[in-house]
Amino acid sequence: MTRAGWIRLALIVGALALLEAACRHGLVSRHAVIPPSRMIEGAWNAIAADETRADIWLTLQNVVLSLILSMIVGTAAGLMLHKATRFRRALDPLLASYYAVPTFVFYPLFIVLFGLNRWPLVAIGFLFAVVAVIINTLDGLARIPRAFVRTAAVMRLTRSQYALHIVLPAAAPWFFTGAKFAVAYSFIGVIAGEFVVSGAGIGHAIAFAYNSFDNRMMYGLIVLLFVLVGSVNTLLSLWERKLYARRAGR
Amino acid sequence: MSAEHLCLTGVTRIYPATEGHAAVHALGPIDLSLKPGEFFSVVGPSGCGKSTLLDVIAGLARQSAGTILFEGKPVTGEVPDGIGVVFQEDASFPWLTVFDNAAFALRRAGVPDAEVRERVRHTLAFTGLSSFAQAYPAQLSGGMRQRLCIARTLVTRPRLLLLDEPFGALDQQTRLLMGDELLKLWRETGATVLLITHSLDEAALLSDRIGVMSARPGVFIDLVETGWARERDSRLAAEAGFGVVTGRLWAALRDQSIKALAMAS
Ligand SMILES: Nc1ncnc2c1ncn2[C@@H]1O[C@H](COP(=O)(O)OP(=O)(O)OP(=O)(O)O)[C@@H](O)[C@H]1O
Ligand SMILES: [Mg+2]
């Protein structure tokens, strides 16, 4: 681990120890925050119980569905928009202000459209994630250096060779950024949806624990969520770093 | 194949008008014939259409009028087989090693692996990059990256090599040495070379013949024969004939450069 990594770890452990001490000595109300050790216990209970395990599993499925859909649709839409220069120019300001729209207001609409099942949740996650993928795809494509395009022409590459061997690697860093956003936004979209109107999933389980004053379960689930999102992000970053370690400097 | 390797007649390029911009007559009419294996350089004031000329010859842009024959076949906005281009900008692929960069075109063309290895190894040795075969472009200096771009083009064995200010980013000493390398490559491969350069010295040292272009729209106002032997290098700079050539180039260019400057302001 790097020096910065150790410092980060020390900071987190230190903060947790501080919180633990504060809770145990009554500096923080037990009704508001429970000691981290209890949270971890809660997290373990959540994994151990069949019901919450089913919730976690369901949420993960929905997040992955939203992620896959937004990556496929977002990349395809980005590619098409890149070709349709005029249309793209007209659309640009709309894309830029997209995240000012509170996507969640469409939730009731999706329930009407899809029924009370997983698809309204997936749709919210998808809506949240897809535009980040589109924006990053467009960005990546626009930044392919002109010299690469001309080099490809001089080498008389076919269209598929050009796509596979020039566009893909040249725009890969942006596809990656898009993917990382899509992971985060899919989680946010799906869980926030579950939190508001759903009968299952991590979001619902957290809301349920909250309503029944089950602090240990609530914090346990939140801790689980942190670990989940954190590890997915760390894995993505490690993969990315491995890919680009040696081509830095441009 | 005809006696001329490349033959341009009345070649003109006009950038069409766009919203808010009038049409730009950038180039021509240009008449030019290059013999097989000739080293030809183009000098001219900034913005006179040198890069436009290269684009049109390479088939990267379509001429507005005139005909271009490469090995007897017309070129019209598509890159013909047998042409290699080194651009002014760094075009090395940062996601590939030096070796894979150099092998790129051959692999896409389906050349067998053993032959790719052999040709790449030979070209990298030639361009002084052998010990960096497994390095990435980010780990090279600017001059080495430019050499890599030259290697990547040479490995395809182009019969016509087009170079647009390939040494523009280098200091004077390195430029001279790279020029010597280029002469060696040219002798070994027997390719026809068309070099665009800002440097009158470089043109005078390297070329069999030099075309001097006018301010925009660029046309050739003088064609200077150097008469150098095929075996030559940068030590030519010390000879009396060298000063005669650069003197003649500058005499032709001075007025045009003044005109180009006035046009720009
Ligand atoms: N895409 C374009 N649209 C309109 N005009 C253009 C375009 N590209 C080039 N020009 C114009 O054509 C002229 C010739 O450009 P070109 O790049 O060929 O010049 P150059 O001789 O290579 O210049 P330099 O020595 O600075 O590289 C310039 O005046 C430029 O403004
Ligand atoms: Mg130019």
Side-chain angles (χ1 to χ4, degrees):
Chain A
M1 201 151 48
T2 60
R3 214 187 149 81
W6 284 112
I7 296 176
R8 189 158 45 232
L9 191 67
L11 272 175
I12 294 171
V13 172
L16 286 177
L18 222 69
L19 183 61
E20 182 84 28
C23 292
R24 284 183 188 261
H25 291 92
L27 291 175
V28 181
S29 156
R30 288 213 144 210
H31 300 296
V33 184
I34 61 171
S37 53
R38 287 284 137 77
M39 295 183 187
I40 292 166
E41 224 181 284
W44 177 249
N45 291 344
I47 298 176
D50 285 341
E51 199 179 332
T52 33
R53 216 175 32 231
D55 282 325
I56 296 167
W57 181 230
L58 185 70
T59 299
L60 281 183
Q61 285 176 354
N62 290 346
V63 167
V64 167
L65 279 174
S66 153
L67 181 64
I68 292 173
L69 282 175
S70 57
M71 285 303 291
I72 293 174
V73 174
T75 306
L79 286 169
M80 282 193 284
L81 275 180
H82 181 71
K83 293 257 151 121
T85 326
R86 278 224 193 119
F87 186 59
R88 188 242 156 119
R89 229 174 281 146
L91 214 64
D92 256 344
L94 299 181
L95 286 178
S97 54
Y98 179 81
Y99 283 104
V101 178
T103 322
F104 295 104
V105 299
F106 296 117
Y107 195 68
L109 173 70
F110 288 143
I111 293 184
V112 174
L113 279 178
F114 297 116
L116 205 59
N117 51 36
R118 71 165 72 206
W119 294 108
L121 295 169
V122 174
I124 288 283
F126 168 82
L127 268 195
F128 222 47
V130 72
V131 173
V133 179
I134 294 179
I135 290 173
N136 279 288
T137 304
L138 282 173
D139 212 16
L141 293 174
R143 281 168 201 251
I144 297 176
R146 208 172 79 100
F148 291 0
V149 181
R150 285 151 59 86
T151 301
V154 170
M155 289 176 177
R156 294 150 49 92
L157 299 191
T158 63
R159 284 170 69 95
S160 60
Q161 284 178 331
Y162 176 64
L164 194 66
H165 294 284
I166 307 271
V167 175
L168 201 62
W174 283 269
F175 288 124
F176 242 101
T177 310
K180 281 203 272 191
F181 274 112
V183 169
Y185 285 160
S186 293
F187 264 107
I188 295 174
V190 168
I191 287 174
E194 289 171 349
F195 201 89
V196 184
V197 211
S198 172
I202 298 180
H204 169 258
I206 291 175
F208 186 80
Y210 170 76
N211 288 326
S212 46
F213 306 105
D214 186 353
N215 264 356
R216 195 180 297 184
M217 180 56 81
M218 180 182 87
Y219 279 115
L221 286 166
I222 293 174
V223 165
L224 267 187
L225 210 52
F226 267 106
V227 172
L228 218 58
V229 177
S231 15
V232 172
N233 246 315
T234 307
L235 282 179
L236 268 175
S237 298
L238 284 179
W239 184 22
E240 187 182 24
R241 201 154 352 132
K242 206 178 142 204
L243 272 178
Y244 302 122
R246 305 190 66 185
R247 62 187 256 194
R250 195 184 309 211
Chain B
M1 202 167 79
S2 59
E4 279 99 33
H5 200 195
L6 179 74
C7 185
L8 282 70
T9 1
V11 170
T12 306
R13 170 105 170 117
I14 298 167
Y15 290 100
T18 50
E19 299 162 51
H21 293 282
V24 178
H25 182 176
L27 179 74
I30 294 279
D31 296 305
L32 176 70
S33 301
L34 300 188
K35 291 190 286 289
E38 181 172 6
F39 197 127
F40 185 83
S41 291
V42 179
V43 293
S46 188
C48 72
K50 301 183 294 291
S51 297
T52 305
L53 175 65
L54 179 139
D55 277 9
V56 169
I57 293 175
L60 289 166
R62 195 184 277 269
Q63 67 270 34
S64 311
T67 53
I68 303 166
L69 293 177
F70 172 60
E71 298 178 341
K73 288 190 219 81
V75 179
T76 49
E78 258 190 59
V79 184
D81 180 45
I83 288 189
V85 184
V86 178
F87 299 107
Q88 183 164 13
E89 317 94 292
D90 172 19
S92 59
F93 299 140
W95 59 88
L96 295 177
T97 61
V98 166
F99 188 96
D100 291 337
N101 258 286
F104 188 88
L106 298 183
R107 286 184 177 149
R108 301 294 87 74
V111 175
D113 243 16
E115 191 186 337
V116 170
R117 267 198 303 278
E118 181 51 42
R119 278 166 74 171
V120 169
R121 215 173 286 147
H122 179 245
T123 313
L124 290 184
F126 214 64
T127 43
L129 289 168
S130 289
S131 50
F132 293 90
Q134 294 315 312
Y136 283 79
Q139 299 161 311
L140 305 181
S141 73
M144 288 160 84
R145 279 207 284 267
Q146 199 59 45
R147 253 185 285 163
L148 171 57
C149 291
I150 294 174
R152 192 173 65 183
T153 301
L154 286 173
V155 82
T156 64
R157 296 184 184 150
R159 300 185 292 280
L160 173 63
L161 180 59
L162 307 173
L163 303 143
D164 193 352
E165 306 261 2
F167 313 137
L170 307 180
D171 62 81
Q172 179 73 19
Q173 301 87 287
T174 315
R175 280 182 91 119
L176 285 172
L177 294 179
M178 291 292 292
D180 284 346
E181 297 285 336
L182 182 58
L183 282 174
K184 253 196 290 179
L185 296 175
W186 166 68
R187 275 194 301 270
E188 174 157 319
T189 59
T192 309
V193 173
L194 188 145
L195 169 75
I196 292 172
T197 174
H198 267 130
S199 160
L200 301 188
D201 288 355
E202 199 165 274
L205 275 178
L206 299 176
S207 321
D208 294 319
R209 204 153 53 111
I210 302 151
V212 182
M213 277 175 98
S214 67
R216 201 190 76 213
V219 293
F220 285 122
I221 48 172
D222 199 2
L223 290 172
V224 181
E225 299 256 3
T226 60
W228 307 137
R230 201 170 161 82
E231 289 291 331
R232 58 181 183 249
D233 61 36
S234 53
R235 282 172 295 187
L236 266 177
E239 294 193 11
F242 174 71
V244 176
V245 174
T246 51
R248 181 162 161 199
L249 292 178
W250 181 233
L253 256 180
R254 193 167 173 275
D255 288 344
Q256 296 302 323
S257 302
I258 293 170
K259 219 198 256 173
L261 263 182
M263 209 152 74
S265 57

